[in-house]
Amino acid sequence: MTVSDCVTRLLAERALCPVNPSAQAFAPANIALVKYWGKRDEALRLPVTASLSLSLANRGTTTKISLLDSGYDRVILNGEVIAAAHPIMKRATAFLDYFRFDGDYHYQLDSTNTVPVGAGVASSASAFAAVVQALDQLFDWQLSPQKCSILARLGSGSACRSLWHGFVEWHCGEQVDGMDSYAEPLTDTWPQLCVGLLFLDKTMKAVSSSEGMRLTQRSSPFYTLWPQQVEEALIEVKTAIANKDFLTLGACAERNALAMHACMLTAQPPLLYSKAATVEAMEKIWQLRRDGLPLFFTQDAGANLKLLFLSQHYADVFAAFPTLELVQPFVKGDSL
Ligand code: PMV
């Protein structure tokens, strides 16, 4: 099945002309506690495994979509018009191509991101999830969350998890058309759970996550072990969430991230997203843990770390990492 066929199927019986001149939506960024790394279908962005994430409350993307009669799309990101040749523009246009329909519509996307773009902080996840929700309003499709999740997945895999706050699981699915590969929120909440964003390098990464996945799947001898690691991690993390067992959750999330990076490191050529500052921060976290502080990290396709800890240890964590940006995924009125 092609991506266009998939979009046509999802939009069956929906009106394909916009009913509103513009629409706006927000989607939170998310960090995976059990990672998605590897596709079984490139075009449809179908994953090799399931994954589980935590959304970053008010950190994410707000996108206003409006119709343009210029014959081309325009993307404004944090107030700046993105040049036609920029990878962000190419990716946005390619996604919007699926939504031109008979009217050959063109769009302006005016987005504000509260996470750095392309630095392994899931900016593409919130960006595509926001666009899909804005499109849904623009056309008044009133799609189910499941269908929105599938549409967002077609833009960026991890975007299918960015439609909800809190813990979200992306079901791997088995069907070749990917209609059973969507995300769903878990009902569990955990008000004490904190994420600390440790920015060590805010520049755009040199190797995109899609390229990185391809390389790892193709050439790392460790990749064959990855699906099993994810399967075990998912069970362990879900049990830890249900039991509010932070030590198990933190240990398991950290191990899963390191296993993913071990696969990347053993690819040909090796893929290393960490910088010296990343390794230094990891060593500091491990030392603090040996000294009794329950503090863990996870790392995505970038040099930055996301620290995991409970609110009662906030002061100690901040004493060690004064530049940390705090996110409380379950505290309403604060971050939500
Ligand atoms: O959705 P993508 O193509 O940006 O891939 C995301 C990959 C990781 O962030 C490393 C892991 C994940 O599950 O979010």
Side-chain angles (χ1 to χ4, degrees), residues 32 35-37 124 156-158 161 209 213 260 300-301:
K35 310 289 183 193
Y36 144 61
W37 196 253
S124 68
S156 173
S158 55
R161 301 184 309 233
S209 38
M213 284 180 204
M260 177 180 77
D300 292 294

Side-chain angles (χ1 to χ4, degrees), residues 2 37 41 43 87-88 94 111 144 163 167 189 264 277 281-282 287 324:
T2 66
W37 196 253
D41 184 310
I88 288 179
S111 290
S144 64
L163 293 161
F167 297 111
T189 60
M264 299 175 188
M282 286 178 185
Q287 185 57 52
L324 208 63

Side-chain angles (χ1 to χ4, degrees), residues 88 113 115-124 201-207 301-302 304:
I88 288 179
N113 250 345
V115 288
V117 177
V121 199
S123 57
S124 68
D201 179 11
K202 289 192 181 178
T203 54
M204 283 274 278
K205 58 195 170 204
V207 181
N304 303 310

Side-chain angles (χ1 to χ4, degrees), residues 163-178:
L163 293 161
W164 299 272
H165 286 289
F167 297 111
V168 180
E169 182 174 5
W170 175 6
H171 306 292
C172 179
E174 290 174 348
Q175 292 171 210
V176 285
D177 62 7

Side-chain angles (χ1 to χ4, degrees), residues 115-195:
V115 288
V117 177
V121 199
S123 57
S124 68
S126 55
F128 283 102
V131 170
V132 165
Q133 291 178 97
L135 279 164
D136 184 60
Q137 289 174 37
L138 192 81
F139 287 84
D140 195 27
W141 289 324
Q142 301 187 25
L143 294 174
S144 64
Q146 190 173 315
K147 285 186 173 174
C148 285
S149 177
I150 295 176
L151 280 179
R153 191 200 78 217
L154 298 171
S156 173
S158 55
C160 76
R161 301 184 309 233
S162 265
L163 293 161
W164 299 272
H165 286 289
F167 297 111
V168 180
E169 182 174 5
W170 175 6
H171 306 292
C172 179
E174 290 174 348
Q175 292 171 210
V176 285
D177 62 7
M179 291 298 170
D180 57 350
S181 185
Y182 53 83
E184 270 180 326
L186 306 192
T187 52
D188 309 72
T189 60
W190 196 337
Q192 299 79 12
L193 189 61
C194 295
V195 176

Side-chain angles (χ1 to χ4, degrees), residues 6-311:
C6 184
V7 172
T8 306
R9 207 128 122 226
L10 291 167
L11 299 180
E13 290 162 38
R14 297 300 201 283
L16 299 182
C17 70
V19 297
N20 295 304
S22 66
Q24 183 168 310
F26 167 80
N30 75 76
I31 53 157
L33 300 174
V34 182
K35 310 289 183 193
Y36 144 61
W37 196 253
K39 297 182 180 71
R40 66 176 192 279
D41 184 310
E42 276 280 329
L44 293 177
R45 293 181 201 272
L46 292 174
V48 170
T49 69
S51 56
L52 194 147
S53 63
L54 179 58
S55 289
L56 297 184
N58 59 355
R59 303 288 183 132
T61 308
T62 303
T63 292
K64 181 179 176 194
I65 189 165
S66 32
L67 287 166
L68 280 185
D69 45 23
S70 53
Y72 51 84
D73 302 316
R74 213 164 106 101
V75 174
I76 303 169
L77 186 55
N78 294 334
E80 277 182 36
V81 177
I82 304 292
H86 195 284
I88 288 179
M89 190 67 206
K90 289 190 174 156
R91 204 158 161 200
T93 307
F95 187 66
L96 291 172
D97 280 347
Y98 301 122
F99 305 97
R100 310 228 184 264
F101 311 122
D102 292 343
D104 196 20
Y105 303 117
H106 287 82
Y107 304 95
Q108 171 166 297
L109 301 179
D110 191 347
S111 290
T112 313
N113 250 345
T114 47
V115 288
V117 177
V121 199
S123 57
S124 68
S126 55
F128 283 102
V131 170
V132 165
Q133 291 178 97
L135 279 164
D136 184 60
Q137 289 174 37
L138 192 81
F139 287 84
D140 195 27
W141 289 324
Q142 301 187 25
L143 294 174
S144 64
Q146 190 173 315
K147 285 186 173 174
C148 285
S149 177
I150 295 176
L151 280 179
R153 191 200 78 217
L154 298 171
S156 173
S158 55
C160 76
R161 301 184 309 233
S162 265
L163 293 161
W164 299 272
H165 286 289
F167 297 111
V168 180
E169 182 174 5
W170 175 6
H171 306 292
C172 179
E174 290 174 348
Q175 292 171 210
V176 285
D177 62 7
M179 291 298 170
D180 57 350
S181 185
Y182 53 83
E184 270 180 326
L186 306 192
T187 52
D188 309 72
T189 60
W190 196 337
Q192 299 79 12
L193 189 61
C194 295
V195 176
L197 304 179
L198 186 62
F199 290 111
L200 301 161
D201 179 11
K202 289 192 181 178
T203 54
M204 283 274 278
K205 58 195 170 204
V207 181
S208 72
S209 38
S210 284
E211 271 175 72
M213 284 180 204
R214 264 195 299 275
L215 171 72
T216 312
Q217 276 182 272
R218 192 176 61 225
S219 63
S220 167
F222 286 4
Y223 191 77
T224 49
L225 302 173
W226 175 247
Q228 180 68 23
Q229 144 61 229
V230 169
E231 199 176 310
E232 288 165 11
L234 271 171
I235 295 169
E236 220 178 321
V237 161
K238 281 200 266 187
T239 309
I241 290 170
N243 297 335
K244 301 276 185 294
D245 173 359
F246 177 71
L247 292 180
T248 303
L249 178 91
C252 191
E254 188 176 298
R255 197 179 325 121
N256 179 259
L258 289 170
M260 177 180 77
H261 285 274
C263 291
M264 299 175 188
L265 271 172
T266 47
Q268 278 301 329
L271 177 59
L272 177 66
Y273 284 108
S274 296
K275 300 277 190 246
T278 317
V279 177
E280 206 177 299
M282 286 178 185
E283 287 183 330
K284 192 164 166 184
I285 291 162
W286 292 327
Q287 185 57 52
L288 287 164
R289 209 151 74 216
R290 282 193 291 271
D291 294 343
L293 186 66
L295 174 66
F296 298 85
F297 68 83
T298 184
Q299 179 189 7
D300 292 294
N304 303 310
L305 296 183
K306 292 90 181 194
L307 275 43
L308 299 167
F309 54 96
L310 294 176
S311 47

